[in-house]
Amino acid sequence: MSIKRSKPIDRLYEEVAEYDLVIVPDAPLASALNRRLEYPHFGPFAITPRRLASRRRETAEDRLAFLEVISQTDLNWKQASYAIGNVLQCWEYQGSPDAIFEYDAFDTPETRTVVDCIKSLETTSRTLTEYQIDCEEYESVAVIGEQQLTNLERSILPMEYDAVDRFCDDSFELPPVRIFDSPAAIVDAVLDTVTPENAEDIAVVLDASSEYSPLIEAAFEATEIPYYGGPSFTEDQDHRAVIQLLRSTIAGSDTRIGTVKPLLTRLGTTIDVDHNEKRLFEVDNPELEWLHDFCNRAAELTIGDALDTYEKHAACTLETFRAELERLGLLNEPITADTIDRLTFYLETYDVPIDRENDGVLLADAKSASFVDRPVVFYLGLDESWTHKSPQRPWVDRDEEFDRNLDQFQSLLQSGVDQYYLVQDTAGGAPVTPCLYFEDLLDVEFERFSDLESIRYSRTFRSTEEGFEKEPISVETEPETTLSQSSLNSYANCPRDYFFGRLVDNPNKDYFVEGNLFHDFAEFVVNHPEFVDDAVIEEIVDVMIEETRPFHRGVDLATRRTKYRVGLETIVDYLETNAPSDTDFLTPTSSSDNFFATYFDRPVDSPATERWFEDDDRGIKGKIDLVQSETQLVDFKSGSKKSPSQVIKRAAIDPPSDQPNFQALLYLTYYRSLRPDEQLEFTFFHFLETLDDVVTGEGTLDDCLTTVTYHPLPFDEFVQSRAVFEALREEAPNDCNKTFSKTSYEDYRAAFDAHQPPRTRDADEIADSPFGNALLERMIEGVGDYKYVKKGCMQAFRHLCGYRKEGYFVEDLDEFERFIDDQLEELNRYRRGDSRFPVEGRAGEPNYRYVDNRDMILTTERATDDPADETEVTR
């Protein structure tokens, strides 16, 4: 099968020009033929069956039927809508409203109620049912595209008429599709052609529900290019804002600023992004007082009152919206969840007609149009979303419906004099599937657009006189010289997220506020241990509740109070036995900002807390919560506890983790520079880890601690030490203990003289290595060829790996220092603009759970001549 060539509109007109009446399947084709009339014509010439029968502009009868049914019956809105849709559809395909009763599954009381109501309405379906073309009034009748008419539409045809095919006998050669890298690049290509002067000559065909629709509309508005056929009644920004205003009244005390931000933005109110996660009623801002008052009085108000309030603050009049509310009988209804749900359901289900200026670029929906009468037509997407979904109803002939849609698609593809098919070949890393109708129309096998005849385009950047003013400056990029652990974590997971994190602010989070307060308390306790008693802790709990109140519902405050008290008491318990007693080895630091120091008017100046470091030689920086001793650092964590092996795994350089966290490794690397020959410890103190246990009286401090150790020597030297040998004899499992108790340290040490143990955390790799084989042979030779000796050696290999799973050695920190150098070099290359910040991190696709700026990160790459251009976002 091939694409049938559609007759040019001028040829169609020539074939039907002498007829009194021409029946066509869609209004655009009728308009195109009528525009070509060369002489005055009395009455209609080219017209659709519905318009001919009703003698008025076609209306959405499903909406009108719905309004009538809900006013005359007790059916709920969803029942009514479902039954109306079935009745009208069956009527269209079978020619009678009562035909639906032939299908038992649809012969229900609700359906009969709807049929009785609709049959009495002046709908176009009823008019079509009763209408017949008068042969005396129209002596000659032509029908174009008869197969595209439904049974109800065909029922008006006279006994004699001439059928005119929309297609020729020859085939249409599909021009090459033009492949672009992204929807934004496709929109840019359209803008390269369209101007306000030629807008009347251009049409854009797209799937109205796709991302192309808002992109092209926004682009036309930004460049002041007129267009029509765009946003619907529901998509009007003021209408959406009214619905959001109504929704804010029933969301309760948990309504967040972020959820009403679009409403506030529409009204010109700017609220700092820091407040997005806070509850609306806890944010003290003069510009929010009217909204607080409105929500508090909502139980006394009606939907009409809400519309009045919005119009007052938006300084606009929404007459069409008010009229629609009156038709629905909702204007004087109280503001309730049920009323808002019904209104939302109606607006999402039915198209409310709106007055449009019919000038400029024509935007046509690919699923509704079969013909576009413009010289130049752009087709955007042409993917599987263009495929019609046939109604899943027994009265629908699927084959006939498919043929009708296929003909519509073929005709649409050939609209205009010049056609341009603009597509993507891939999206999100996967091939884009072309519209399924191509499978029936093209003789070639294909899976994606690039399998067809195609031309690939890179995105062009148009120079316009509009936009932000730019002033060229000669400033060289200053290189980054240090990385913090948080920046390194973000960069390792997703470099582009790191980049956007430097450009934009993110809303404050409850756990950020809580974490900062806990940290400030810990610092305060170190400085004033004698001051903090039970009464002070209770007071601090009250303060923390007050500081975090904007984030939490009232019902959650009791559990938050318990959480805060347990966390504070656990911190005090730990510091009572682990407070730094000797800080003479530390240099003094200036007093830091501390919430509780300000609250209680007491200084915090201990050199052991909140110590900032910045090491340009190693390219690292950070802040140490507590220097507990000359060899031990402590970090306070409010999150869940991780085991030492998890900490080590997440900081692995090869293979990289998809949950990178380099804090312990980075801090130990810095502290090693101060104490290079000492064993060091970094302890995470998860003070909320035992929350549940403390409530039941069973928690212990040890359950809160995770310690990672740095050994100031290479791994192979460490594991051949006598201390490790003694641990194999005393601390390892039974078979290992039994085996090594029967040999000497010299025999154990001799295995290392022959081979070095491999640098791995996998016991099987050690067992299969030359070192593993040498140690096993030594043990068999010294102890005997027993099964327990082989099992004991395997247990020994696991024990040796355990040291690398719970700590670091010289070569680990040396490797990390080289890694930092590489990351800084790479980062500065991106900052200079040599190439773009990539989306993929060290472990491949980012772990989006740890990405802060997800909405700003493209899921598809595009070609660009400007590596620094990072500001495009997906919709």
Side-chain angles (χ1 to χ4, degrees):
M1 186 175 181
S2 59
I3 301 177
K4 295 183 292 185
R5 180 172 291 278
S6 181
K7 292 176 182 176
I9 188 66
D10 291 330
R11 176 176 168 183
L12 266 181
Y13 174 74
E14 289 176 2
E15 292 186 19
V16 299
E18 301 302 322
Y19 287 89
D20 296 325
L21 182 68
V22 181
I23 301 297
V24 297
D26 50 54
L29 180 59
S31 298
L33 291 171
N34 289 329
R35 280 194 293 269
R36 285 162 173 78
L37 279 172
E38 298 173 349
Y39 52 87
H41 191 283
F42 183 75
F45 173 59
I47 194 169
T48 64
R50 286 181 174 274
R51 189 156 190 178
L52 176 64
S54 63
R55 294 304 170 101
R56 64 175 182 266
R57 195 173 189 176
E58 294 177 38
T59 57
E61 63 179 350
D62 57 346
R63 169 177 161 273
L64 299 179
F66 174 82
L67 292 172
E68 195 68 28
V69 168
I70 62 173
S71 67
Q72 294 186 16
T73 72
D74 294 328
L75 294 177
N76 72 51
W77 287 19
K78 289 190 176 181
Q79 281 181 325
S81 177
Y82 177 76
I84 289 168
N86 286 330
V87 170
L88 291 178
Q89 188 186 82
C90 185
W91 195 345
E92 187 74 34
Y93 283 88
Q94 299 299 322
S96 166
D98 295 324
I100 195 170
F101 300 136
E102 299 174 11
Y103 307 95
D104 293 341
F106 297 90
D107 188 359
T108 64
E110 292 82 9
T111 303
R112 289 188 173 274
T113 299
V114 166
V115 169
D116 290 341
C117 185
I118 288 182
K119 285 170 70 174
S120 64
L121 299 179
E122 288 295 331
T123 62
T124 52
S125 290
R126 174 184 167 184
T127 306
L128 273 174
T129 305
E130 299 171 349
Y131 182 79
Q132 189 75 33
I133 294 177
D134 187 349
C135 293
E136 293 183 2
E137 181 179 2
Y138 304 106
E139 295 182 2
S140 59
V141 177
V143 179
I144 298 177
E146 180 182 359
Q147 66 276 12
Q148 289 185 275
L149 300 178
T150 64
N151 288 338
L152 180 59
E153 291 172 329
R154 291 173 189 165
S155 68
I156 72 168
L157 298 178
M159 294 295 293
E160 295 183 4
Y161 60 88
D162 292 330
V164 178
D165 201 335
R166 293 185 70 169
F167 300 99
C168 309
D169 293 332
D170 54 340
S171 60
F172 172 73
E173 194 70 31
L174 187 72
V177 296
R178 299 162 192 265
I179 297 176
F180 293 82
D181 293 323
S182 70
I186 289 176
V187 170
D188 270 354
V190 175
L191 293 181
D192 282 336
T193 301
V194 184
T195 65
E197 292 72 28
N198 66 13
E200 296 285 345
D201 297 327
I202 294 173
V204 175
V205 182
L206 42 69
D207 172 20
S209 62
S210 71
E211 61 186 320
Y212 294 103
S213 184
L215 283 175
I216 198 73
E217 291 163 14
F220 285 159
E221 289 173 5
T223 52
E224 298 183 349
I225 292 174
Y227 69 94
Y228 69 98
S232 64
F233 179 88
T234 310
E235 291 170 335
D236 182 279
Q237 293 186 30
D238 286 313
H239 298 166
R240 296 172 72 91
V242 171
I243 297 298
Q244 190 168 57
L245 176 61
L246 291 170
R247 286 285 183 200
S248 68
T249 66
I250 61 171
S253 62
D254 197 38
T255 304
R256 307 285 164 164
I257 287 291
T259 63
V260 296
K261 206 67 174 285
L263 166 64
L264 298 174
T265 300
R266 184 62 183 166
L267 296 178
T269 301
T270 302
I271 302 296
D272 195 277
V273 68
D274 282 351
H275 299 298
N276 276 16
E277 296 291 327
K278 295 179 181 177
R279 292 184 299 139
L280 170 64
F281 300 102
E282 294 294 337
V283 177
D284 186 12
N285 187 306
E287 294 190 271
L288 295 178
E289 289 179 1
W290 74 270
L291 186 55
H292 292 170
D293 177 66
F294 176 79
C295 292
N296 289 331
R297 296 188 301 112
E300 311 164 4
L301 303 176
T302 65
I303 299 293
D305 293 329
L307 186 57
D308 292 339
T309 301
Y310 180 83
E311 288 178 329
K312 174 184 175 182
H313 288 276
C316 67
T317 302
L318 304 179
E319 296 178 357
T320 307
F321 199 105
R322 187 179 298 276
E324 207 62 28
L325 289 173
E326 274 195 281
R327 289 191 188 93
L328 293 168
L330 296 181
L331 196 61
N332 297 315
E333 286 284 309
I335 300 174
T336 64
D338 177 65
T339 305
I340 297 171
D341 285 343
R342 283 187 291 151
L343 174 58
T344 305
F345 169 77
Y346 170 76
L347 294 177
E348 291 176 346
T349 305
Y350 297 104
D351 290 327
V352 179
I354 57 177
D355 293 330
R356 299 181 187 274
E357 295 292 334
N358 291 344
D359 60 348
V361 177
L362 169 63
L363 299 185
D365 184 6
K367 292 182 180 177
S368 301
S370 68
F371 175 79
V372 177
D373 189 24
R374 290 292 175 93
V376 178
V377 184
F378 291 96
Y379 301 81
L380 310 189
L382 287 163
D383 53 31
E384 56 188 339
S385 67
W386 281 45
T387 308
H388 293 76
K389 292 183 179 179
S390 297
Q392 304 293 308
R393 293 292 185 266
W395 49 79
V396 177
D397 185 319
R398 302 283 179 78
D399 293 336
E400 185 178 310
E401 182 71 9
F402 180 82
D403 290 340
R404 181 183 295 120
N405 293 331
L406 188 64
D407 280 351
Q408 176 179 318
F409 180 73
Q410 293 181 90
S411 174
L412 181 63
L413 280 184
Q414 302 172 58
S415 295
V417 178
D418 297 314
Q419 303 94 16
Y420 298 95
Y421 310 109
L422 313 185
V423 303
Q424 277 183 277
D425 195 44
T426 61
V432 171
T433 303
C435 179
L436 300 184
Y437 297 129
F438 282 121
E439 292 185 4
D440 289 83
L441 298 176
L442 302 180
D443 297 327
V444 297
E445 292 187 5
F446 62 93
E447 295 182 354
R448 54 199 296 174
F449 283 111
S450 58
D451 294 335
L452 304 174
E453 186 180 351
S454 59
I455 304 172
R456 188 173 293 273
Y457 289 80
S458 60
R459 186 178 183 184
T460 59
F461 288 84
R462 298 171 294 106
S463 59
T464 66
E465 297 178 0
E466 303 298 327
F468 296 108
E469 293 183 4
K470 299 177 182 179
E471 181 180 344
I473 54 176
S474 178
V475 177
E476 292 188 8
T477 303
E478 293 187 7
E480 291 282 6
T481 58
T482 56
L483 286 169
S484 67
Q485 60 92 11
S486 58
S487 293
L488 182 59
N489 296 343
S490 175
Y491 182 77
N493 182 47
C494 177
R496 198 167 299 176
D497 184 49
Y498 161 86
F499 171 81
F500 282 121
R502 301 289 298 272
L503 295 180
V504 299
D505 294 326
N506 283 305
N508 213 347
K509 304 281 189 180
D510 59 336
Y511 50 84
F512 288 158
V513 177
E514 291 173 351
N516 289 336
L517 290 171
F518 276 125
H519 276 74
D520 283 0
F521 174 75
E523 182 184 20
F524 186 78
V525 173
V526 172
N527 283 267
H528 304 287
E530 74 293 338
F531 175 74
V532 180
D533 55 18
D534 290 344
V536 170
I537 288 178
E538 197 61 35
E539 183 176 357
I540 290 176
V541 169
D542 292 338
V543 172
M544 291 182 67
I545 287 291
E546 195 60 32
E547 289 297 310
T548 60
R549 185 184 297 275
F551 296 100
H552 304 304
R553 301 174 300 172
V555 295
D556 296 327
L557 295 183
T559 56
R560 289 285 161 178
R561 182 174 293 276
T562 299
K563 173 184 175 180
Y564 297 161
R565 183 185 298 107
V566 169
L568 298 175
E569 291 174 347
T570 304
I571 290 173
V572 171
D573 289 346
Y574 176 80
L575 292 176
E576 281 182 352
T577 56
N578 297 281
S581 56
D582 178 14
T583 59
D584 292 342
F585 65 93
L586 294 170
T587 57
T589 59
S590 59
S591 179
S592 62
D593 292 333
N594 183 290
F595 180 88
F596 297 107
T598 303
Y599 180 82
F600 290 109
D601 194 19
R602 288 171 174 261
V604 290
D605 51 14
S606 169
T609 60
E610 301 296 313
R611 289 191 66 88
W612 173 259
F613 66 88
E614 189 159 356
D615 186 344
D616 288 335
D617 291 336
R618 286 158 191 80
I620 53 180
K621 60 185 176 183
K623 183 178 285 187
I624 302 169
D625 287 350
L626 177 66
V627 181
Q628 187 168 304
S629 70
E630 294 185 0
T631 60
Q632 186 169 20
L633 308 179
V634 177
D635 193 77
F636 296 93
K637 292 292 184 187
S638 57
S640 58
K641 181 183 176 182
K642 309 294 186 295
S643 67
S645 61
Q646 288 176 305
V647 173
I648 299 294
K649 183 177 181 180
R650 293 187 176 188
I653 295 173
D654 187 19
S657 170
D658 68 344
Q659 304 176 53
N661 192 320
F662 298 95
Q663 183 175 9
L665 182 54
L666 188 147
Y667 283 38
L668 286 170
T669 298
Y670 166 71
Y671 215 59
R672 178 182 69 160
S673 69
L674 305 181
R675 300 185 173 277
D677 300 322
E678 297 186 52
Q679 180 170 303
L680 307 175
E681 291 183 346
F682 186 92
T683 297
F684 292 103
F685 174 36
H686 296 271
F687 49 84
L688 293 175
E689 180 65 23
T690 56
L691 176 61
D692 295 337
D693 294 331
V694 169
V695 172
T696 59
E698 300 175 356
T700 65
L701 283 175
D702 288 343
D703 294 334
C704 300
L705 304 177
T706 295
T707 298
V708 177
T709 303
Y710 166 67
H711 304 277
L713 69 167
F715 175 68
D716 61 334
E717 290 184 23
F718 175 79
V719 294
Q720 59 186 289
S721 66
R722 183 174 290 276
V724 172
F725 175 72
E726 293 300 331
L728 293 174
R729 303 177 75 176
E730 299 172 6
E731 301 173 15
N734 291 338
D735 288 329
C736 181
N737 179 299
K738 182 177 179 180
T739 298
F740 286 87
S741 294
K742 294 182 178 182
T743 188
S744 66
Y745 173 65
E746 287 70 23
D747 285 340
Y748 172 75
R749 180 70 178 75
F752 291 89
D753 293 335
H755 302 282
Q756 285 189 347
R759 192 172 169 220
T760 180
R761 296 181 177 91
D762 188 331
D764 290 331
E765 288 186 22
I766 294 184
D768 294 336
S769 69
F771 164 77
N773 291 326
L775 183 61
L776 177 60
E777 290 173 3
R778 288 280 180 180
M779 294 303 103
I780 290 175
E781 182 180 337
V783 180
D785 190 5
Y786 302 112
K787 184 181 292 185
Y788 76 85
V789 172
K790 296 177 182 178
K791 290 181 64 178
C793 285
M794 195 63 203
Q795 292 170 351
F797 299 147
R798 295 193 186 99
H799 186 86
L800 298 183
C801 284
Y803 291 113
R804 293 209 69 234
K805 289 181 178 180
E806 299 185 1
Y808 292 111
F809 298 88
V810 167
E811 60 269 29
D812 297 318
L813 271 58
D814 289 345
E815 181 184 52
F816 182 68
E817 290 187 10
R818 293 189 295 271
F819 170 70
I820 290 292
D821 290 339
D822 293 340
Q823 297 304 290
L824 281 171
E825 181 181 351
E826 181 182 84
L827 168 61
N828 285 315
R829 187 171 70 249
Y830 297 140
R831 283 172 55 83
R832 290 192 303 270
D834 295 345
S835 58
R836 298 184 71 197
F837 279 83
V839 173
E840 291 192 346
R842 300 190 64 252
E845 183 179 6
N847 187 330
Y848 286 108
R849 289 178 55 198
Y850 302 96
V851 165
D852 294 324
N853 304 283
R854 180 63 185 88
D855 291 342
M856 302 186 73
I857 297 175
L858 287 167
T859 54
T860 57
E861 285 292 356
R862 58 176 172 77
T864 175
D865 296 325
D866 185 358
D869 177 27
E870 302 288 347
T871 56
E872 182 187 352
V873 297
T874 53
R875 293 185 66 90

